[in-house]
Amino acid sequence: MPDVKIVNVTKKYGNIYALDNVSLTIRDKEYFSLLGPSGCGKTTLLRLIAGLIEPDSGEIYIGDRRVDKDPPEDRDIGFVFQTFALFPHMTAWSNVLYGPKVKNYDARKAETIGHEVLELVKLNERLNAYPSELSGGMMQRIAVARALAAGAKTLLLDEPLGQLDAKVRNEIRYEIRRMAKDLKLTAIHVTHDQAEAMSISDRIAVMKKGKIVQVGTPQELYMHPTGLFVAHFIGESNFLEGYVTNVDEFLEIELRDGLKVKALKQDIKQDERVVLAIRPEICDMKKGRNTAEKGLLGKVEKITFEGTLVRYEIRLDNGDRFVINRPSLTEEWVNVGEGVTITYPLQKTHVFLYPEAGLTEELKV
């Protein structure tokens, strides 16, 4: 199955850049996700790969062949839409066989392919059902089967789970990945749901305002974000603003109201304005205000029970807001209004230069 290569691709609508000089390589047989907020350009990029629209500039390759001028039917791709896009007047069987018939496969070959893909999506027993007689999860599996029956070597999925309820969505996303891996397809999956992308992807491209801001495995994006936006969009982070007052074995950072903390040494100079990012789940929190631990001191303002997690919102002594997530089953609960001491492992902190546009603008989705 082919690599997909995007080279310096730009797409504008009027004066708006949907994609701004984007380059990206998606590897052979990789399950790859394009992740970002609405309007970041991820669906535009998918539609360009599919041939539904043309780039204003740049090149698109599938395998060794340049395809940005080729029609969709010549690209060996299957496209799965958010809205399923099944023919309502056709049975599941007819929907699946639509592609082979358009490509003039002989009847025996078309039927063999139809049964194979319906077996793959575990819906052979519903081949005579119409879309209106199928659940949302079944309709999406039929949409995937139709794409596979047409001989797709590259599978493009545009928010394929957006119409499904949460429980079905969780089940179907693993099924789609399994099918793509079993058939050794190159799959490109567009989503704005970080949990979805993190759970099924080999690698992810995080997008913002028509640009790719970071590409990596789910672990790389979470553990080693290269910028504030990724640290904010992938998971959650506490952001504390300050200035570097000393560079030694560690960075010493002075926060608001003179509060000084340490962070892992990075390539940042003394007197730089910075933002310290700390994940809520890496922190330890103890009742009481223990100044001997050299942690952050504060008071619990709000507690939210979220099933597996308890979320604490804390107001630090210097006025900054701080969030901690703790496992609910092992948690010794702290009450609202109680003082707490927060500590965190220095090696898991991230320090970024303060953005020119301001922190609020940089984090905006």
Side-chain angles (χ1 to χ4, degrees):
M1 300 300 130
D3 289 354
V4 176
K5 187 180 293 184
I6 314 299
V7 183
N8 301 327
V9 165
T10 294
K11 181 66 179 178
K12 292 176 66 178
Y13 294 101
N15 294 323
I16 304 298
Y17 279 89
L19 291 173
D20 188 1
N21 198 34
V22 168
S23 293
L24 176 68
T25 297
I26 297 158
R27 300 166 188 156
D28 179 26
K29 305 181 188 68
E30 187 170 38
Y31 202 103
F32 193 95
S33 288
L34 301 172
L35 174 66
S38 298
C40 70
K42 54 189 185 295
T43 293
T44 298
L45 181 53
L46 198 74
R47 291 169 66 85
L48 285 166
I49 295 169
L52 302 179
I53 53 177
E54 290 188 12
D56 296 327
S57 60
E59 302 169 2
I60 300 172
Y61 295 86
I62 298 180
D64 296 327
R65 184 164 61 98
R66 183 174 175 179
V67 299
D68 45 272
K69 300 297 182 184
D70 293 349
E73 61 269 23
D74 292 340
R75 300 192 186 195
D76 291 328
I77 56 99
F79 203 113
V80 179
F81 297 89
Q82 178 179 355
T83 55
F84 315 139
L86 298 177
F87 298 114
H89 61 289
M90 293 184 181
T91 63
W93 177 250
S94 298
N95 268 284
V96 169
L97 259 62
Y98 180 79
K101 286 185 177 179
V102 168
K103 292 191 172 185
N104 294 317
Y105 289 9
D106 66 70
R108 181 171 295 179
K109 180 180 179 181
E111 287 192 8
T112 299
I113 291 172
H115 283 299
E116 285 178 350
V117 296
L118 282 170
E119 185 65 32
L120 188 66
V121 299
K122 302 177 182 177
L123 285 174
N124 233 329
E125 75 283 0
R126 301 304 303 273
L127 56 85
N128 292 318
Y130 287 90
S132 61
E133 299 171 326
L134 300 171
S135 69
M138 289 177 177
M139 284 194 285
Q140 194 57 289
R141 280 189 276 166
I142 292 296
V144 172
R146 183 175 62 183
L148 299 178
K153 295 179 180 178
T154 304
L155 187 61
L156 308 180
L157 304 113
D158 186 13
E159 300 274 9
L161 311 178
Q163 298 275 335
L164 307 177
D165 64 59
K167 191 169 183 62
V168 173
R169 188 162 64 239
N170 290 344
E171 294 171 358
I172 295 296
R173 66 191 185 192
Y174 296 115
E175 284 296 308
I176 292 176
R177 176 185 166 87
R178 178 190 61 79
M179 286 186 281
K181 289 296 182 181
D182 286 351
L183 294 171
K184 297 180 170 58
L185 301 178
T186 303
I188 308 173
H189 183 125
V190 161
T191 181
H192 65 275
D193 184 334
Q194 54 156 295
E196 182 176 307
M198 296 282 278
S199 63
I200 61 174
S201 306
D202 297 319
R203 288 190 305 146
I204 301 168
V206 181
M207 300 185 67
K208 179 185 180 184
K209 295 182 178 178
K211 292 181 178 290
I212 293 174
V213 293
Q214 187 175 350
V215 178
T217 65
Q219 294 89 342
E220 287 169 345
L221 295 176
Y222 182 81
M223 300 299 294
H224 306 289
T226 58
L228 286 162
F229 181 77
V230 175
H232 173 60
F233 196 75
I234 300 292
E236 185 180 12
S237 292
N238 294 292
F239 296 109
L240 305 175
E241 302 175 33
Y243 289 87
V244 175
T245 54
N246 190 38
V247 179
D248 201 338
E249 183 182 355
F250 298 98
L251 292 180
E252 183 181 74
I253 302 171
E254 184 173 323
L255 306 178
R256 186 195 309 183
D257 203 32
L259 176 62
K260 289 188 177 182
V261 297
K262 291 186 182 296
L264 193 65
K265 187 175 180 180
Q266 298 171 47
D267 188 21
I268 293 176
K269 299 175 182 178
Q270 189 166 329
D271 298 325
E272 294 271 24
R273 190 180 183 188
V274 295
V275 179
L276 174 63
I278 306 173
R279 297 285 190 190
E281 51 275 9
I282 70 167
C283 299
D284 188 29
M285 180 182 69
K286 295 181 180 177
K287 289 184 180 182
R289 303 166 58 82
N290 187 348
T291 55
E293 287 208 34
K294 297 182 179 179
L296 301 171
L297 304 180
K299 184 172 69 173
V300 176
E301 290 192 334
K302 184 179 179 182
I303 302 173
T304 306
F305 178 70
E306 298 182 350
T308 58
L309 294 174
V310 181
R311 177 183 174 89
Y312 293 94
E313 296 181 26
I314 298 155
R315 184 68 59 182
L316 300 181
D317 283 0
N318 74 335
D320 284 335
R321 177 180 170 273
F322 203 92
V323 172
I324 290 182
N325 293 329
R326 305 293 296 160
S328 58
L329 294 179
T330 59
E331 176 65 7
E332 180 187 355
W333 286 42
V334 180
N335 297 316
V336 170
E338 286 192 285
V340 292
T341 302
I342 301 164
T343 55
Y344 53 87
L346 299 185
Q347 68 272 19
K348 294 184 179 180
T349 59
H350 302 282
V351 182
F352 304 100
L353 292 175
Y354 192 86
E356 291 183 8
L359 183 59
T360 301
E361 184 63 28
E362 183 68 20
L363 301 182
K364 188 180 294 183
V365 297

